[in-house]
Amino acid sequence: MRIERCLSRSAQISSSLSGSCGPQSNQQLLSELQPAIEAIKRLLLQPQSGIEADPFLFRELIVYPKLEQPWIIYPEFTDNEVDRLSKLPDDVLLNIVERLDITDVARTAILSRRWKQIPTMLSKIILTVCSFEPKHGRRNLTSHDIVRANTTMLKATRSILESRTGSLYTIHLMSMQFYLGDDSIFIGQTVANTIATQKVASVEFTILTKLGKNCTSGDLLTYGKQFMTFFDSCPNAFGGLAHLWLENLRLGESYFPKKFGICKQLQFLHLWQCDTGHLSLLEVQHPQLRELVISCSSLQRVDLKWVPKLTVVKFNVFISPDDPFSLGYVPLLPTVSIINTGLSEHKMLKLSELLRKTAISNLHLNFKSEKIWVKPEARSNCYRCSTN
């Protein structure tokens, strides 16, 4: 099995990974790690009993450091041969492992003692419930499929995060995707404990519901109540969130600003079919929020009252006949996107009024191929929203 170029270059790879080489050199060196990644994946397909019986299965993966013969394989190694792949520097080995699926990362711990410590050194932990779902599409999942996937997600979360207890390595990104439900409470609490006891730079939550589309008002209310229970069970996890994706929730008007005020680190918020009631108002005030995406909304309007760091606003499909949003204090906002099917009941969008308090440099409008009429406005009215 041909997996990697000479290990004598490991120092060069390590140097590149630390940023001492240029982008092109870095990409070239990292591409040389790909065979090792594939080799580890194939090795992990071996029955566990086989790995335990033969701890030197890595003999198929070893390449000796001979520059003149960069693709050398020594399948005839004896049991006292050194596992040279495991002798790679930590940063190189870690870079290989971080390119595996998280389920494979967890399994590498059984390969040898050297590998047991690797999952505790990961700088990126990305766990998705989709990895544990049957491969026939989300819309075809049964309730049993979802519960089973979420339970497996909880076990994986605990296994990965609790194994890092006492680790001195920073988690630069911890991204979790899971279904709202009983197990989600324990996932949130495990994440909250990790934030409290370890160095975590950025946390992302993508919270799904069992019904992806075609939710009734009753479904939205039910999911909204489940989300409130989940939030109240692990507020410290939300206090460390930088990125939050929610779907199919109906929350009380007073609940939204109160609870999301706890998310002090939040920079990205995506609400898909979420509201505070049919044709209700949503006020947004947040010191750190940089990007807001609202999709398939039944909100009447979103008032961006005070969002000093906001740079991107996207509204994708809304039923309100009025302007989908109003701008308050958003001094850094350059990008606005409005996507909707323009119907006769929708109010005419007057950009000079809608965007009058900011100087937009990137405006995207898409009315789903409906016929639209653009009424010219005086230069004095349009100047500020059309500069640049």
Side-chain angles (χ1 to χ4, degrees):
M1 185 186 303
R2 298 181 176 182
I3 62 129
E4 205 199 327
R5 290 186 181 270
C6 308
L7 295 187
S8 62
R9 300 193 66 193
S10 63
Q12 183 181 4
I13 297 176
S14 176
S15 174
S16 175
L17 296 176
S18 64
S20 60
C21 295
Q24 184 174 0
S25 176
N26 184 48
Q27 185 64 31
Q28 179 182 356
L29 291 171
L30 291 180
S31 68
E32 296 175 0
L33 298 177
Q34 190 61 35
I37 296 169
E38 297 303 321
I40 293 172
K41 288 181 179 179
R42 294 182 62 181
L43 181 63
L44 291 172
L45 294 177
Q46 299 279 350
Q48 184 173 336
S49 58
I51 294 177
E52 292 176 343
D54 186 2
F56 296 95
L57 280 175
F58 270 119
R59 65 181 179 270
E60 290 188 307
L61 308 182
I62 305 310
V63 179
Y64 271 68
K66 298 180 180 179
L67 291 176
E68 68 277 9
Q69 295 181 3
W71 300 98
I72 300 177
I73 307 164
Y74 290 88
E76 70 280 2
F77 283 174
T78 61
D79 285 351
N80 62 355
E81 295 283 358
V82 177
D83 175 1
R84 287 180 174 266
L85 187 60
S86 291
K87 293 298 182 180
L88 282 169
D90 283 350
D91 52 354
V92 178
L93 189 57
L94 188 59
N95 192 277
I96 295 173
V97 173
E98 284 189 334
R99 294 165 191 275
L100 298 173
D101 182 90
I102 194 68
T103 54
D104 287 335
V105 171
R107 295 178 62 204
T108 60
I110 68 176
L111 297 178
S112 70
R113 291 181 181 179
R114 171 71 178 82
W115 289 74
K116 284 184 178 180
Q117 302 303 315
I118 295 301
T120 69
M121 299 163 58
L122 294 174
S123 64
K124 295 180 182 179
I125 298 176
I126 302 175
L127 284 163
T128 63
V129 71
C130 296
S131 300
F132 309 112
E133 294 175 350
K135 305 302 181 182
H136 50 63
R138 182 181 174 189
R139 66 176 57 187
N140 297 318
L141 294 178
T142 65
S143 296
H144 176 73
D145 292 334
I146 291 173
V147 170
R148 184 175 180 179
N150 227 30
T151 300
T152 307
M153 174 70 185
L154 171 59
K155 292 178 180 178
T157 301
R158 283 176 167 171
S159 175
I160 293 292
L161 296 184
E162 291 178 359
S163 70
R164 295 180 58 95
T165 302
S167 175
L168 300 178
Y169 293 88
T170 299
I171 302 175
H172 294 288
L173 172 62
M174 180 163 54
S175 179
M176 302 285 167
Q177 180 209 56
F178 51 90
Y179 284 100
L180 194 60
D182 294 337
D183 286 328
S184 63
I185 292 177
F186 301 108
I187 293 173
Q189 291 173 345
T190 304
V191 170
N193 183 63
T194 302
I195 293 174
T197 58
Q198 300 185 41
K199 297 178 181 178
V200 182
S202 181
V203 183
E204 300 180 356
F205 274 179
T206 298
I207 304 177
L208 308 176
T209 56
K210 293 181 180 180
L211 290 177
K213 296 182 178 180
N214 302 320
C215 287
T216 65
S217 295
D219 294 328
L220 297 180
L221 288 170
T222 297
Y223 292 141
K225 291 177 181 178
Q226 289 181 356
F227 176 77
M228 289 188 283
T229 300
F230 170 62
F231 191 108
D232 292 339
S233 71
C234 52
N236 291 339
F238 283 86
L241 281 187
H243 182 127
L244 179 60
W245 199 101
L246 298 173
E247 67 177 17
N248 300 324
L249 302 179
R250 178 158 289 173
L251 306 171
E253 286 193 42
S254 61
Y255 183 91
F256 186 92
K258 179 180 179 181
K259 295 300 182 180
F260 282 89
I262 296 175
C263 307
K264 297 185 182 299
Q265 306 302 318
L266 194 63
Q267 298 182 21
F268 177 93
L269 177 61
H270 188 152
L271 302 176
W272 192 91
Q273 201 165 298
C274 296
D275 58 48
T276 56
H278 184 67
L279 293 180
S280 57
L281 298 176
L282 176 63
E283 291 187 357
V284 178
Q285 299 187 66
H286 199 283
Q288 300 297 329
L289 192 65
R290 298 177 184 273
E291 184 169 346
L292 175 64
V293 181
I294 296 182
S295 302
C296 300
S297 170
S298 62
L299 291 164
Q300 181 177 358
R301 189 176 69 250
V302 177
D303 292 336
L304 302 171
K305 299 191 69 172
W306 185 78
V307 200
K309 294 187 178 181
L310 191 66
T311 58
V312 177
V313 169
K314 296 181 180 180
F315 281 80
N316 304 327
V317 185
F318 50 91
I319 67 172
S320 172
D322 301 318
D323 294 343
F325 61 88
S326 66
L327 298 178
Y329 186 68
V330 286
L332 302 181
L333 181 63
T335 301
V336 171
S337 173
I338 303 174
I339 299 175
N340 202 33
T341 301
L343 303 176
S344 59
E345 59 264 28
H346 283 112
K347 172 185 173 182
M348 180 183 298
L349 286 176
K350 294 186 177 181
L351 298 181
S352 60
E353 295 180 3
L354 184 64
L355 308 176
R356 68 182 184 276
K357 294 184 179 181
T358 186
I360 301 298
S361 59
N362 184 11
L363 177 62
H364 176 76
L365 301 175
N366 183 349
F367 294 99
K368 302 291 185 178
S369 300
E370 293 291 327
K371 293 181 179 179
I372 62 172
W373 177 62
V374 178
K375 179 181 178 181
E377 298 188 49
R379 178 180 175 84
S380 60
N381 291 335
C382 288
Y383 177 74
R384 283 190 56 79
C385 67
S386 61
T387 53
N388 299 323

